[in-house]
Amino acid sequence: MDVTSSSGGGDPRQIEETKPLLGSDVSGPEGTKVMGAVPCRRALLLCNGMRYKLLQEGDIQVCVIRHPRTFLSKILTSKFLRRWEPHHLTLADNSLASATPSGYMENSVSYSAIEDVQPLSWENAPKYCLQLTIPGGTVLLQAANSYLRDQWFHSLQWKKKIYKYKKVLSNPSRWEVVLKEIRTLVDMALTSPLQDDSINQAPLEIVSKLLSENTNLTTQEHENIIVAIAPLLENNHPPPDLCEFFCKHCRERPRSMVVIEVFTPVVQRILKHNMDFGKCPRLRLFTQEYILALNELNAGMEVVKKFIQSMHGPTGHCPHPRVLPNLVAVCLAAIYSCYEEFINSRDNSPSLKEIRNGCQQPCDRKPTLPLRLLHPSPDLVSQEATLSEPRLKSVVVASSEVHVEVERTSTAKPALTASTGNDSEPNLIDCLMVSPACGTMSIELGPQAGRTLGCHVEILKLLSDYDDWRPSLASLLQPIPFPKEALAHEKFTKELKYVIQRFAEDPRQEVHSCLLSVRAGKDGWFQLYSPGGVACDDDGELFASMVHILMGSCYKTKKFLLSLAENKLGPCMLLALRGNQTMAEILCLMLEYNIIDNNDTQLQIISTLESTDVGKRMYEQLCDRQRELKELQRKGGPTRLTLPSKSTDADLARLLSSGSFGNLENLSLAFTNVTSACAEHLIKLPSLKQLNLWSTQFGDAGLRLLSEHLTMLQVLNLCETPVTDAGLLALSSMKSLCSLNMNSTKLSADTYEDLKAKLPNLKEVDVRYTEAW
């Protein structure tokens, strides 16, 4: 049978889709369609609900039949004499090719040469076969089953149509026709039974290329195209070039309804599902421009606030874990862009080491660029270093975007003349504050940069108001991910103070602990907003709030108190002198734990405490505790003590205050209800060598306190306690430990190996039912 002479009957798949293309006669008089209205076969195919994955390659049987011209050729092409060849075909972007180009598939078949694709359905036709009509003949493809046949059919149709659209849309003539073609292309992608990321991405890429090559479109044409492709953007990220087009529209027409109606669901999807803006930075830039466009509306930040609320959701917990990190990434990048001009000028500015050492020579530098942070004059540095007569110097640097003024006073300290032999880079605060000689520093941004900064700092403030987001936000901001230029900007640090205040007010340790530096040797928010820090603009209220929350949780340790005594003793004494209760408590703890060695400093602290009612009361309580401690530590009393089960912290405190326990060596608190709060009483037992905390609520905070005071402890039982690696790592300072029970704790294998390496006398260890077991 001649396969080209009959096309079969009523199988709807034999009717090729009729789609308007630029090369077709698309309109007649009064815009009516001239071509015959053929029902969209795609809708008919979708009725059975079948879905297929887009094929890129596969194995199939191939037979090529040339159009018979003579009676002999008709006989040779009959179905009884046909020869089938197995081929591994690849559906490339522009042609159908074989992995082994030979026989029928010696040459690839271009999609432009394929006139029609349809399944064979005539009587006695081969099973599961497709017919590709090409000039001069037919290509038959035979699959193994009906599903594979339909998968090949839809994949070939898709490749053929996309190839045509790429070709015809590459040379547009009339934009009203182009818009119609784009709508048809979008409809084809939405109704396709194929399921693949490229089904929706391919039309977007075609439109993206079309827009990048035609930059002279009117604003109305822009909006029409955006509205046309909007259905595809509901479940797909826009390509990079399309993001750039969207950014331009947000900048030029921020009040357009397209921004609200079309871009909002696109940005919401980006924030909910994007995993890494580093792989596609234009998605981040588009999100940033969208937020700025919202801010340009009449309601301004109220619209932005409602958008943030919609991203969080109505419940107390946001169901989308990627929203917060993505919003923070957008804010950080936007804030960085506000100071980008200054950051780029760093190459021609004095290095941080030169600033610190005062060895900057103007003649060795290139012409000045905007923003010289802490730009010292050599003669001023020499005057400060020798502490000669008072001198005032100001350095003014102006640019189109910034006006910086730095006033120098004569209150410099000798720290300014640090040894030039030290090649290490100064820390962040020392870079921004060479010495207290820095009086005022003001940075004035341009109008656009100022609006950008204000909008995104306000978003950070909004994020900090959500309880469920605050722990993650604090963790993301703990490393201080802002440029030094931003931290030197008074407006920025003043606005960001609200966020830090929210961290300081949160009772959760995972939040307020992020106020401290991320690691030793680095500065944290605690240092920046403490008196003397570059961001401190009050009399120490925020500093006192931060100290209060840190001391109230788990930072009542010698290490924390020692750092305050070394770096912030003056501010602590000043605030205590003004009646601050937290600072009075700090000074009393310094005296109680013997943090201060200098007698004169101790007397000054005592005088400060006695100058206020609250301080005087706390100092008297300290004296009473010291007398009780001496009585408690007086030699005598039992050597072994076991508390009854269900005892509490208060029971232990009453028992220890009732007599002398200077000889107590073995204390068992097993199966009691004591917590980390009892550690304050345990550290007062000088002879304690064995401590049993089995099945108590003693946690990491208590372990940290014990490790600083009970360094002679030899036996410790932590079985079935809620301690974790954070507290267990502190035990590495207890060098006398020879027996340690960590059975049924949250001990990890790495922490266990670390403890074994740092505790040389450890002989008995129980790690059963832990990760290290």
Side-chain angles (χ1 to χ4, degrees):
M1 178 182 294
D2 187 351
V3 298
T4 62
S5 61
S6 175
S7 60
D11 192 338
R13 290 176 297 186
Q14 298 177 29
I15 308 174
E16 184 180 1
E17 298 177 57
T18 301
K19 301 288 184 181
L21 297 171
L22 290 181
S24 306
D25 295 327
V26 296
S27 61
E30 301 181 1
T32 58
K33 192 173 181 181
V34 174
M35 296 176 61
V38 180
C40 180
R41 178 171 35 83
R42 193 71 70 182
L44 296 175
L45 287 172
L46 285 176
C47 61
N48 59 7
M50 294 294 291
R51 295 293 183 269
Y52 309 91
K53 182 174 177 59
L54 178 64
L55 279 175
Q56 301 296 339
E57 57 182 341
D59 296 318
I60 199 166
Q61 298 285 328
V62 180
C63 178
V64 177
I65 303 174
R66 300 299 175 185
H67 288 314
R69 301 181 182 277
T70 64
F71 181 77
L72 179 61
S73 62
K74 286 186 178 182
I75 295 176
L76 294 177
T77 56
S78 63
K79 64 177 182 179
F80 303 105
L81 299 178
R82 287 178 200 150
R83 179 171 55 90
W84 292 88
E85 296 178 352
H87 282 274
H88 185 83
L89 299 185
T90 301
L91 283 76
D93 291 337
N94 53 5
S95 64
L96 180 67
S98 174
T100 55
S102 61
Y104 291 143
M105 298 300 298
E106 183 176 0
N107 299 317
S108 61
V109 180
S110 174
Y111 295 137
S112 60
I114 299 178
E115 300 173 357
D116 186 24
V117 179
Q118 57 184 353
L120 293 183
S121 59
W122 63 80
E123 187 179 356
N124 296 326
K127 270 187 141 182
Y128 317 130
C129 198
L130 289 178
Q131 172 185 335
L132 279 62
T133 303
I134 59 175
T138 300
V139 178
L140 300 180
L141 304 179
Q142 187 172 23
N145 52 57
S146 61
Y147 182 85
L148 283 178
R149 177 199 61 192
D150 293 343
Q151 189 177 17
W152 275 95
F153 170 74
H154 294 300
S155 299
L156 282 169
Q157 283 278 34
W158 174 260
K159 290 284 187 178
K160 177 175 177 289
K161 287 296 182 180
I162 286 296
Y163 175 77
K164 282 187 177 181
Y165 275 106
K166 285 181 179 179
K167 192 171 181 180
V168 299
L169 289 177
S170 61
N171 296 307
S173 56
R174 292 184 300 165
W175 281 102
E176 63 273 11
V177 178
V178 170
L179 182 61
K180 188 172 183 180
E181 299 298 339
I182 292 175
R183 289 171 179 164
T184 308
L185 176 61
V186 170
D187 180 67
M188 183 184 74
L190 293 175
T191 58
S192 172
L194 295 173
Q195 289 185 328
D196 194 86
D197 292 340
S198 61
I199 297 301
N200 291 323
Q201 283 296 327
L204 291 176
E205 291 173 358
I206 291 174
V207 175
S208 177
K209 183 179 179 182
L210 176 69
L211 294 173
S212 63
E213 294 176 352
N214 297 271
T215 58
N216 57 345
L217 298 179
T218 64
T219 303
Q220 188 60 44
E221 289 171 340
H222 280 180
E223 294 192 354
N224 290 338
I225 292 176
I226 293 173
V227 172
I229 63 175
L232 290 180
L233 297 173
E234 293 180 2
N235 298 309
N236 300 274
H237 290 339
D241 291 339
L242 203 56
C243 285
E244 189 171 342
F245 172 71
F246 290 168
C247 290
K248 180 181 177 182
H249 190 81
C250 287
R251 286 191 296 266
E252 295 179 352
R253 297 202 64 189
R255 297 174 180 268
S256 169
M257 289 305 297
V258 169
V259 174
I260 299 295
E261 296 178 356
V262 179
F263 289 168
T264 297
V266 180
V267 174
Q268 287 177 337
R269 187 181 188 280
I270 292 174
L271 292 175
K272 290 177 181 178
H273 301 288
N274 178 68
M275 298 301 295
D276 185 7
F277 277 130
K279 295 180 179 179
C280 190
R282 293 185 184 179
L283 284 178
R284 176 196 52 74
L285 185 60
F286 168 49
T287 305
Q288 175 183 327
E289 294 292 347
Y290 166 79
I291 292 175
L292 290 175
L294 293 184
N295 193 38
E296 292 294 327
L297 299 177
N298 293 334
M301 280 307 302
E302 285 299 319
V303 182
V304 177
K305 183 177 181 179
K306 290 181 179 179
F307 175 73
I308 299 298
Q309 290 174 347
S310 70
M311 295 307 306
H312 180 274
T315 62
H317 183 77
C318 179
H320 303 286
R322 290 301 308 168
V323 169
L324 177 67
N326 287 332
L327 281 173
V328 173
V330 170
C331 292
L332 294 181
I335 293 172
Y336 182 92
S337 67
C338 295
Y339 302 94
E340 193 166 9
E341 180 182 356
F342 320 141
I343 297 170
N344 293 336
S345 70
R346 285 181 189 170
D347 294 338
N348 293 325
S349 299
S351 68
L352 299 179
K353 184 178 69 175
E354 290 173 330
I355 293 174
R356 183 74 175 272
N357 298 332
C359 59
Q360 166 67 11
Q361 299 296 330
C363 60
D364 298 333
R365 287 288 164 190
K366 300 176 184 179
T368 56
L369 289 178
L371 185 60
R372 287 290 193 281
L373 279 178
L374 309 177
H375 187 166
S377 177
D379 60 341
L380 175 61
V381 173
S382 63
Q383 292 286 345
E384 292 176 336
T386 57
L387 300 178
S388 61
E389 62 181 355
R391 180 184 180 93
L392 179 64
K393 182 79 173 179
S394 71
V395 181
V396 179
V397 184
S399 76
S400 59
E401 289 292 330
V402 190
H403 179 271
V404 181
E405 182 173 348
V406 182
E407 296 181 1
R408 306 287 183 184
T409 65
S410 60
T411 59
K413 291 184 179 180
L416 181 62
T417 58
S419 172
T420 57
N422 184 10
D423 292 335
S424 62
E425 195 79 356
N427 64 27
L428 179 60
I429 294 180
D430 289 337
C431 296
L432 299 175
M433 289 185 59
V434 175
S435 73
C438 298
T440 61
M441 177 179 293
S442 61
I443 300 177
E444 295 181 5
L445 299 176
Q448 181 59 37
R451 287 193 295 270
T452 301
L453 178 67
C455 176
H456 289 89
V457 173
E458 193 67 28
I459 291 176
L460 291 178
K461 293 163 70 174
L462 291 173
L463 298 180
S464 68
D465 288 333
Y466 291 94
D467 290 338
D468 60 318
W469 275 352
R470 203 174 299 130
S472 298
L473 178 63
S475 178
L476 291 170
L477 297 186
Q478 185 180 14
I480 311 184
F482 301 103
K484 293 188 289 293
E485 289 78 1
L487 299 175
H489 187 192
E490 182 181 359
K491 178 183 177 182
F492 172 75
T493 54
K494 187 175 182 180
E495 292 295 325
L496 195 66
K497 181 180 177 181
Y498 177 85
V499 179
I500 306 305
Q501 182 71 47
R502 297 292 288 165
F503 294 164
E505 294 171 352
D506 197 299
R508 291 171 291 183
Q509 178 189 342
E510 57 182 328
V511 178
H512 60 248
S513 63
C514 294
L515 295 170
L516 300 175
S517 58
V518 69
R519 63 177 182 271
K522 296 284 289 184
D523 293 317
W525 296 112
F526 180 77
Q527 286 80 13
L528 258 67
Y529 280 90
S530 60
V534 292
C536 184
D537 61 350
D538 53 23
D539 294 330
E541 289 84 358
L542 179 57
F543 171 68
S545 178
M546 291 190 290
V547 172
H548 174 75
I549 194 69
L550 291 172
M551 291 298 296
S553 57
C554 62
Y555 290 94
K556 193 179 292 185
T557 62
K558 279 187 176 181
K559 183 178 179 181
F560 183 63
L561 292 172
L562 187 61
S563 66
L564 289 178
E566 291 178 349
N567 304 311
K568 303 297 178 184
L569 182 59
C572 289
M573 293 177 64
L574 178 60
L575 292 172
L577 191 62
R578 294 174 178 174
N580 187 281
Q581 184 173 347
T582 300
M583 293 306 160
E585 181 185 0
I586 291 291
L587 295 181
C588 288
L589 288 171
M590 289 181 180
L591 294 175
E592 184 175 0
Y593 292 162
N594 296 320
I595 300 296
I596 306 297
D597 296 328
N598 188 282
N599 292 333
D600 293 336
T601 306
Q602 289 181 354
L603 292 174
Q604 187 178 355
I605 290 176
I606 294 173
S607 299
T608 302
L609 290 171
E610 290 182 337
S611 63
T612 62
D613 292 339
V614 62
K616 186 176 181 179
R617 184 177 69 254
M618 287 188 175
Y619 181 64
E620 291 174 353
Q621 293 173 355
L622 171 61
C623 293
D624 293 339
R625 289 198 304 271
Q626 292 289 356
R627 285 191 291 268
E628 294 174 0
L629 178 61
K630 289 181 180 179
E631 180 64 25
L632 175 66
Q633 295 179 343
R634 184 171 55 84
K635 292 297 181 180
T639 58
R640 300 175 62 89
L641 180 65
T642 300
L643 245 66
S645 61
K646 308 301 181 183
S647 298
T648 63
D649 295 330
D651 298 328
L652 177 63
R654 281 193 295 270
L655 178 63
L656 293 181
S657 63
S658 63
S660 300
F661 291 92
N663 291 339
L664 186 62
E665 297 181 355
N666 188 322
L667 176 61
S668 176
L669 303 176
F671 304 104
T672 64
N673 294 330
V674 297
T675 66
S676 296
C678 74
E680 295 184 10
H681 306 289
L682 299 179
I683 62 177
K684 300 174 183 177
L685 302 173
S687 302
L688 192 62
K689 295 181 180 178
Q690 300 181 28
L691 179 60
N692 187 351
L693 296 168
W694 188 0
S695 191
T696 64
Q697 295 303 311
F698 200 86
D700 294 336
L703 278 186
R704 280 192 282 263
L705 200 56
L706 294 183
S707 65
E708 291 188 342
H709 295 269
L710 298 181
T711 56
M712 301 305 295
L713 198 65
Q714 298 177 2
V715 179
L716 180 59
N717 188 345
L718 299 171
C719 179
E720 297 181 7
T721 58
V723 294
T724 65
D725 287 345
L728 293 171
L729 283 172
L731 299 179
S732 59
S733 62
M734 305 177 74
K735 304 299 181 182
S736 299
L737 272 179
C738 57
S739 177
L740 181 58
N741 188 340
M742 298 176 285
N743 187 322
S744 303
T745 63
K746 296 180 181 179
L747 172 72
S748 68
D750 292 339
T751 300
Y752 177 51
E753 295 298 328
D754 186 70
L755 289 175
K756 287 197 301 182
K758 294 181 179 179
L759 297 176
N761 296 322
L762 195 60
K763 298 177 182 178
E764 297 180 4
V765 185
D766 189 350
V767 294
R768 289 175 296 171
Y769 308 108
T770 67
E771 183 184 317
W773 188 29

